[in-house]
């Protein structure tokens, strides 16, 4: 159930190159080929593409998604339950603001820029004698492109600098080193985290450069990771589960981000919690940069890979089941004959009454960033998860996963614990207002 963003207006479609006589047999089979569909498959994907007839040939065209827009205002920030677009940028900053007044200026600035960039509009007119105000990466008409900018704070913002110590979310602290971790200090923690997601890497880069340009005395980039997924047009408008770089479908059993009741229970801090009142509507965010040792994984037998995860690699079904969304009954498999006791999905979610409170909303992306010093691929999972209670959520799940067989093929190297601020309900208010006025 993927809610697509509102589209601003229908855009003119660029024409596809004209086809030649060498084109395949019939129009119908050719179109299927171009759409990447099997016989009879993918009605949803078909709907995602616009097909027009040019002479005798049917030409598929990619829909223009640049005008897709996510609302900025709301009780919660966008980018958490929002369906995942293709590109992500996670950027951690050190805050340079010296006092609470400067911190407020930073939060007001972030609010204003995110409001503008997610709406889109004309770039400011430039005085040619001055550096341009906008990078120009999107041209003079800045388009929204499904952009969300989600602002979170790290534990360090509650140190002595701003007098906020007594308002720290109860469980927010520095992410510890788990047993399999090899954390790189240059890829960890931060005072503030910006999660930027949109349809393209260019839109994310444009947004990041806009923020950096506007905050020279307020923010300093600490670390940054880029993530990617196939665009929704290739995954049937978001209804098809994407694969991670181990080749497995990732997200099959994720909790349903469109289920408001479930989100209120598991993701959003509520006024029933023991948290400071300003946190209501926010969420604990965990980021983990988890390298996948893919050369080693690719030399591991398929059966072993499937036992490590607990699912069929091709269709994503839990082992011993037929379909991806079949629910494994672990009580019926007490000795792990179908799904090994130490399979990733079994440890991550034992599916008992008691472990229902440990469910988390995963919103990860794949990443790839060159090679390591020893010539191995540096790629993996930019794991992002949201939960109302950090201890019941990520910490409990990760503790159950400690020592799992998958650890032989993964190496967590960075990330941090953050708290995603509540949303901005109306014009004039700003992100972090509740915290600064608490
Ligand atoms: C602590 C939380 C988790 C980390 C870290 C994590 C890393 C990680 N996961 C995969 C691959 C898969 N994970 C899958 C399911 C799954 N993973 C977690 C938690 C963490 N994973 C949960 C809660 C679940 C859902 C379990 C369930 O409810 O059945 C799957 C199966 C498909 C799916 O349901 O999403 C895969 C595949 C990798 C490669 C990885 C680190 C690199
Ligand atoms: Fe997982």
């Amino acid at each position: 159930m993927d809610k697509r963003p509102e589209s601003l207006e229908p855009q003119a479609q660029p024409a596809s190159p004209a086809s030649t006589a060498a084109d395949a047999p019939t129009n119908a089979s050719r179109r299927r080929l171009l759409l990447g569909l099997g016989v009879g498959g993918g009605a949803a994907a078909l709907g995602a593409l616009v097909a027009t007839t040019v002479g005798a040939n049917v030409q598929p065209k990619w829909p223009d998604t640049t005008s897709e827009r996510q609302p900025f205002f709301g009780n919660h920030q966008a980018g958490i339950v929002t369906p995942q677009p293709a590109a992500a940028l996670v950027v951690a900053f050190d805050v340079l603001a010296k006092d609470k007044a400067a911190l407020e200026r930073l939060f007001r600035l972030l609010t204003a820029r995110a409001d503008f960039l997610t709406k889109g509009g004309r770039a400011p007119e430039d005085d040619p004698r001055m550096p341009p105000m906008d990078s120009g990466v999107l041209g003079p008409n800045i388009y929204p492109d499904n952009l969300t900018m989600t602002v979170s704070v790290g534990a360090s913002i509650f140190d002595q600098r701003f007098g906020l110590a007594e308002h720290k979310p109860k469980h927010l602290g520095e992410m510890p080193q788990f047993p399999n971790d090899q954390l790189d200090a240059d890829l960890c923690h931060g005072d503030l985290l910006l999660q930027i997601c949109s349809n393209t890497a260019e839109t994310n880069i444009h947004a990041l450069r806009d923020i950096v340009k506007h905050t020279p005395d307020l923010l300093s980039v600490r670390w940054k990771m880029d993530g990617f997924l196939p665009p929704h047009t290739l995954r049937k408008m978001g209804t098809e589960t994407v694969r991670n770089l181990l080749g497995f479908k990732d997200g099959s059993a994720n909790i349903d981000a469109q289920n408001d009741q479930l989100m209120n229970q598991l993701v959003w801090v509520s006024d029933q919690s023991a948290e400071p009142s300003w946190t209501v509507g926010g969420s604990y965010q965990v980021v983990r940069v988890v390298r996948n040792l893919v050369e080693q994984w690719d030399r591991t037998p398929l059966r072993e890979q499937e036992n490590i995860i607990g699912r069929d690699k091709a269709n994503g079904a839990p082992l011993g089941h037929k379909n991806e969304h079949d629910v494994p009954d672990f009580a019926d498999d007490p000795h792990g004959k179908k799904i090994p006791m130490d399979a990733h999905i079994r440890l991550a979610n034992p599916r008992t009454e008691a472990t229902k409170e440990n469910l988390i909303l995963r919103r990860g992306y794949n990443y790839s960033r060159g090679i390591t010093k020893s010539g191995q691929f540096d790629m993996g999972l930019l794991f992002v998860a949201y939960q109302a209670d950090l201890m019941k959520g990520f910490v409990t799940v990760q503790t159950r996963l400690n020592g799992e067989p998958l650890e032989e093929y993964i190496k967590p190297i960075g990330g941090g614990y953050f708290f995603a601020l509540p949303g901005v309900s109306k014009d004039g208010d700003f992100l972090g207002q509740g915290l600064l006025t608490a």
Side-chain angles (χ1 to χ4, degrees):
M1 259 185 291
D2 189 20
K3 266 193 208 147
R4 296 308 311 159
E6 62 189 89
S7 212
L8 290 182
E9 71 242 6
Q11 300 281 315
Q13 305 291 329
S16 304
S19 57
T20 67
D23 279 343
T26 66
N27 286 339
S29 64
R30 180 173 174 276
R31 192 170 70 170
R32 244 185 230 115
L33 193 76
L34 285 165
L35 295 175
L37 303 174
V39 176
L46 233 158
L49 295 175
V50 183
T52 49
T53 306
V54 178
N57 284 311
V58 177
Q59 303 278 330
K61 291 176 179 175
W62 296 106
D64 180 359
T65 54
T66 55
S67 61
E68 288 178 343
R69 199 170 72 188
Q70 295 293 340
F72 173 73
F73 292 101
N75 290 339
H76 313 294
Q77 287 195 75
I80 299 175
V81 299
T82 311
Q84 288 180 260
L89 240 184
V90 169
V91 196
F93 297 91
D94 293 322
V95 169
L96 304 177
K98 292 275 185 298
D99 52 29
K100 200 169 167 184
L103 187 63
E104 176 171 335
R105 185 159 61 83
L106 168 62
F107 282 141
R108 284 186 183 275
L109 245 166
L110 290 173
T111 306
R113 295 320 297 161
D115 179 23
F116 171 73
L117 293 165
T118 53
K119 260 197 204 92
R122 256 199 96 71
E125 294 292 325
D126 287 318
D127 175 345
R129 292 166 303 174
M130 305 292 281
M133 273 311 290
D134 188 80
S135 65
V137 169
L138 302 184
N141 286 314
I142 295 162
Y143 45 84
D145 206 22
N146 223 352
L147 176 71
T148 58
M149 301 175 75
T150 314
V151 178
S152 305
V153 289
S156 50
I157 206 131
F158 298 92
D159 62 15
Q160 75 298 336
R161 283 172 292 170
F162 310 110
L164 297 174
E166 62 177 303
H167 305 301
K168 189 164 73 65
K170 211 168 72 172
H171 300 301
L172 192 61
E174 192 165 275
M175 183 181 77
Q177 177 113 358
F178 287 90
N180 187 40
D181 290 7
Q182 215 168 72
L183 299 180
D184 172 354
D186 293 338
L187 208 51
C188 287
H189 319 307
D191 292 330
L192 190 137
L193 191 93
L194 197 51
Q195 176 199 272
I196 306 177
C197 298
S198 76
N199 292 332
T200 61
E202 285 79 0
T203 298
N204 292 346
I205 288 169
H206 175 264
L208 175 59
R209 284 172 56 180
D210 181 283
I211 295 298
V212 168
K213 168 103 182 173
H214 280 85
T215 56
D217 58 332
L218 295 172
L219 287 177
S220 164
V221 174
R222 184 182 171 93
W223 57 271
K224 155 175 129 25
M225 287 294 296
D226 306 61
F228 57 87
L229 294 175
H232 62 79
T233 41
L234 286 182
R235 55 187 146 100
K236 303 183 184 166
M237 300 299 277
T239 59
E240 181 145 297
T241 312
V242 296
R243 288 178 190 271
N244 58 34
L245 296 179
L246 298 185
F248 277 77
K249 290 190 176 188
D250 200 335
S252 312
N254 206 359
I255 57 174
D256 178 6
Q258 304 313 316
N259 181 334
D260 291 346
Q261 204 189 335
L262 199 61
M263 295 302 103
N264 287 335
Q265 204 184 314
L266 293 169
V267 171
W268 307 123
V269 172
S270 80
D271 51 11
Q272 306 298 306
S273 72
E275 293 285 356
S277 59
W278 73 266
T279 62
V280 172
S283 186
Y284 283 95
Q285 180 189 29
V286 174
V287 177
R288 301 268 289 166
V289 182
V290 190
R291 242 193 89 200
N292 291 174
L293 310 181
V294 293
E295 291 90 345
Q296 207 174 316
W297 181 256
D298 290 342
R299 291 184 175 85
T300 301
L302 175 61
R303 179 78 46 79
E304 199 176 324
Q305 292 186 2
E306 292 180 330
N307 280 330
I308 287 171
I309 298 294
R311 287 183 178 266
D312 182 278
K313 192 169 183 179
N315 67 11
L319 295 179
H321 295 70
K322 256 177 75 184
N323 302 307
E324 180 187 352
H325 297 292
D326 289 349
V327 178
D329 183 354
F330 295 135
D332 196 40
D333 179 25
H335 305 295
K337 285 199 174 127
K338 288 187 202 155
I339 301 181
M341 304 304 285
D342 55 6
H344 183 72
I345 63 163
R346 193 159 184 163
L347 294 173
N349 182 9
R351 292 178 188 264
T352 66
E353 204 45 44
T355 58
K356 277 185 181 161
E357 65 175 19
N358 308 129
L359 297 174
I360 56 179
L361 178 66
R362 289 172 290 144
R363 202 174 188 276
Y365 280 82
N366 295 323
Y367 81 83
S368 174
R369 47 168 207 167
I371 54 167
T372 65
K373 282 187 187 131
S374 53
Q376 290 178 314
F377 292 125
D378 187 357
M379 57 175 68
L381 182 66
L382 180 55
F383 175 93
V384 179
Y386 292 94
Q387 55 261 282
D389 185 320
L390 180 65
M391 294 301 153
K392 285 184 183 163
F394 173 80
V395 174
T396 301
V397 177
Q398 181 57 59
T399 304
R400 283 200 300 253
L401 289 173
N402 287 343
E404 63 169 333
L406 181 62
E407 284 188 348
E408 201 179 326
Y409 303 93
I410 63 175
K411 192 45 77 184
I413 54 172
Y417 290 164
F418 300 92
F419 189 83
L421 299 170
V424 180
S425 301
K426 59 179 198 304
D427 213 0
D429 287 356
F430 62 95
L431 285 160
Q433 187 166 354
L435 167 61
L436 295 193
T437 55

